[in-house]
Amino acid sequence: MKVTVVGTGYVGLVTGACLSEMGNHVVCLDVDERKIRMLNDGGMPIHEPGLEAIVQRNAAAGRLQFTTDVPAAVGHGTIQFIGVGTPPDEDGSADMQYVLAAAASIGRHMTDYKVIVDKSTVPVGTADRVRQTVTGALRERALEMEFAVVSNPEFLKEGAAVEDCMRPDRIIVGADDERAILLMRALYQPFMRNRDRLQLMDVRSAEFTKYAANAMLATRISFMNELALLAERVGADIEQVRMGIGSDPRIGTHFLYAGTGYGGSCFPKDVKALIHAGQANGMPLQVLGAVEAANERQKLVLVDKITARFGPDLAGRRFALWGLAFKPNTDDMREAPSRVIVAELARRGAVLQAYDPVAMPEAQRVLAGTPGLHFAASQAEALEGADALVVVTEWKEFRNPDFDAIKAALKQPLIFDGRNIYDPALMRMHGIEYQGVGRAAGSEGSGLAFCLEAKGKT
């Protein structure tokens, strides 16, 4: 099947690559000449595990092409995916200029029936605006032509996007055009060989589903973060609480980890957009307002712990930061908690030695000019001469380090763990002062670590 994908960002590139992997002939269109040149030269504009190999394999096979030629790209695919950015506007609403510009380009150059698919995360009612835009462009050409507009939101997790795209747990399609529905089923059939994962619904419900899903996940994160703060006050360990409530099948285990707050390109933007939609429709979403406020507070939780330990003036203090990306397996720094942490510690006069396995180039770009911030070549280099280690992102290589080496490198054995990846009892066994999130002083952590500690004392 011939497919065009407008946009070669996170959504567009992953979608185009995975569709080509299933044998489709995909043309990815972008107005950014630098990005298209990079892709045609074999480079990658984003870090996503497994994506580079798929892109290179299918580009070499001729199934995946990258271009800035709008007429050629529009003429190529019967199915036209719109996968461009929808950044937050000043009032929190989604900025639709790129989506509507893509729709206008399709309308200006289409010569036959097209299925125009909104893949970007867009507000309810966007399909109507896309339809109006395409119709307007056709009228300017004095043409009447059949086309369909479909909502097919993406549900890709950064760091696992290829796996999510190749093995989706659900495929949401909002459509009312029978021909478009048939084509969408045919396109996705190879992705659901063992069972039908396609859920057909009306367009507005499909658009709403994406926002609702991200808002629900953000709510779980903020809820657990608020419970973590309370757990510290009452002497409980939020990690044990998480396991206790997560074993209830009505609740489940996902998105129950306390930490430094959510970030990235999706949750902050989509929560804001849904809050704005509620206000615009006379229905204030009070829960989501609290979710957003709790998340902003949580980004400062490590700073609060550091200043409680060292005092508000951090001049002369040096801290090692492990992790800068908003989550592991990505280089995305958008809305990352590390940006708030770095800015506040620097404002208080601290010197920071930061390391991230993947996000260093992007971090150097977005954090350029931050006073006292230095980028280390390794996690060991970041530790040298620091007053404490601050863990911000839970990369796998941070999970089981040499704690004796950490203790030797630091001026004092002290870890602020923003992701609760270490066991408090194990830290005590190593003689390391430990502060997690929602882990009250005296928390015993896992039974294994407690037994190791007891064994070490005998």
Side-chain angles (χ1 to χ4, degrees):
M1 191 175 293
K2 292 184 177 181
V3 178
T4 295
V5 179
V6 184
T8 57
Y10 182 79
V11 174
L13 186 56
V14 172
T15 299
C18 292
L19 288 173
S20 69
E21 181 78 350
M22 290 300 187
N24 298 290
H25 183 190
V26 180
V27 171
C28 290
L29 169 69
D30 205 298
V31 297
D32 188 335
E33 294 182 359
R34 182 196 61 82
K35 188 182 292 186
I36 292 299
R37 186 165 53 251
M38 177 191 296
L39 287 164
N40 282 326
D41 290 343
M44 291 294 294
I46 60 173
H47 175 83
E48 184 61 41
L51 180 60
E52 185 173 5
I54 291 179
V55 169
Q56 292 179 349
R57 179 167 58 248
N58 287 282
R63 290 189 298 269
L64 182 59
Q65 297 171 281
F66 303 100
T67 186
T68 58
D69 188 335
V70 176
V74 173
H76 171 77
T78 299
I79 299 179
Q80 303 267 321
F81 282 93
I82 298 178
V84 297
T86 54
D89 217 332
E90 292 182 1
D91 60 0
S93 63
D95 186 345
M96 299 302 298
Q97 63 174 311
Y98 305 112
V99 170
L100 298 180
S105 293
I106 294 170
R108 282 194 293 267
H109 298 287
M110 60 187 287
T111 58
D112 55 6
Y113 175 82
K114 301 293 183 186
V115 178
I116 302 169
V117 184
D118 288 332
K119 196 69 174 173
S120 304
T121 302
V122 295
V124 176
T126 295
D128 294 336
R129 297 181 66 185
V130 168
R131 185 176 291 105
Q132 292 166 4
T133 300
V134 174
T135 299
L138 288 171
R139 284 175 179 165
E140 290 177 1
R141 299 166 59 196
L143 292 176
E144 288 189 9
M145 201 173 298
E146 288 189 15
F147 67 93
V149 180
V150 171
S151 175
N152 175 221
E154 54 85 14
F155 295 94
L156 307 177
K157 299 186 296 292
E158 289 193 47
V162 171
E163 178 70 14
D164 289 342
C165 194
M166 296 300 292
R167 296 176 178 82
D169 49 18
R170 80 282 206 196
I171 299 167
I172 303 295
V173 173
D176 54 13
D177 182 286
E178 289 300 326
R179 184 177 176 185
I181 293 169
L182 181 63
L183 287 170
M184 294 298 289
R185 282 196 177 277
L187 181 67
Y188 280 119
Q189 192 58 44
F191 295 89
M192 47 184 188
R193 294 279 291 172
N194 61 342
R195 64 181 176 88
D196 188 357
R197 293 179 172 86
L198 193 146
Q199 298 179 22
L200 181 64
M201 58 184 69
D202 66 87
V203 174
R204 287 183 170 242
S205 294
E207 292 170 335
F208 200 9
T209 296
K210 169 63 176 179
Y211 276 119
N214 278 355
M216 173 62 79
L217 297 176
T219 299
R220 287 170 69 98
I221 293 171
S222 282
F223 177 70
M224 288 302 293
N225 281 334
E226 285 214 310
L227 289 188
L229 300 182
L230 180 59
E232 293 182 0
R233 300 286 185 91
V234 301
D237 184 342
I238 197 63
E239 283 296 292
Q240 296 184 31
V241 174
R242 173 182 64 79
M243 290 185 284
I245 66 175
S247 61
D248 185 331
R250 297 171 301 174
I251 297 173
T253 59
H254 297 297
F255 289 84
L256 294 182
Y257 292 86
T260 57
Y262 59 76
S265 64
C266 295
F267 287 4
K269 171 177 67 70
D270 295 350
V271 167
K272 281 183 171 64
L274 202 50
I275 290 172
H276 178 270
Q279 293 170 340
N281 287 275
M283 180 59 66
L285 300 180
Q286 297 176 354
V287 170
L288 284 188
V291 166
E292 186 177 46
N295 190 62
E296 292 306 305
R297 177 179 63 181
Q298 199 70 17
K299 289 181 179 182
L300 289 170
V301 68
L302 286 182
V303 176
D304 293 340
K305 290 177 180 292
I306 291 169
T307 54
R309 176 65 169 74
F310 291 103
D313 184 1
L314 298 177
R317 297 292 183 180
R318 184 180 298 267
F319 298 99
L321 264 63
W322 281 6
L324 294 167
F326 88 94
K327 64 181 289 188
N329 298 322
T330 182
D331 61 349
D332 198 340
M333 290 288 296
R334 286 174 289 184
E335 301 284 344
S338 66
R339 299 178 68 163
V340 176
I341 294 167
V342 165
E344 185 60 20
L345 292 178
R347 187 185 69 82
R348 292 175 179 273
V351 173
L352 306 173
Q353 299 170 171
Y355 171 74
D356 189 285
V358 170
M360 295 291 269
E362 182 65 8
Q364 288 170 347
R365 184 185 70 83
V366 301
L367 297 174
T370 303
L373 174 61
H374 306 280
F375 295 96
S378 67
Q379 60 193 88
E381 183 179 301
L383 293 169
E384 294 176 3
D387 289 284
L389 166 62
V390 183
V391 180
V392 183
T393 311
E394 67 276 29
W395 286 92
K396 287 182 179 179
E397 65 189 71
F398 299 159
R399 293 186 180 183
N400 198 22
D402 185 337
F403 291 109
D404 290 333
I406 291 175
K407 187 176 177 180
L410 296 174
K411 289 182 180 178
Q412 52 193 316
L414 172 58
I415 296 177
F416 295 95
D417 181 1
R419 297 297 177 180
N420 289 344
I421 58 176
Y422 304 135
D423 191 296
L426 187 63
M427 295 301 96
R428 288 198 300 276
M429 188 185 77
H430 282 282
I432 296 174
E433 181 184 347
Y434 175 80
Q435 293 194 37
V437 178
R439 316 194 81 172
S443 168
E444 297 299 345
S446 71
L448 174 61
F450 182 74
C451 291
L452 287 171
E453 182 184 32
K455 184 178 179 180
K457 290 178 178 177
T458 58

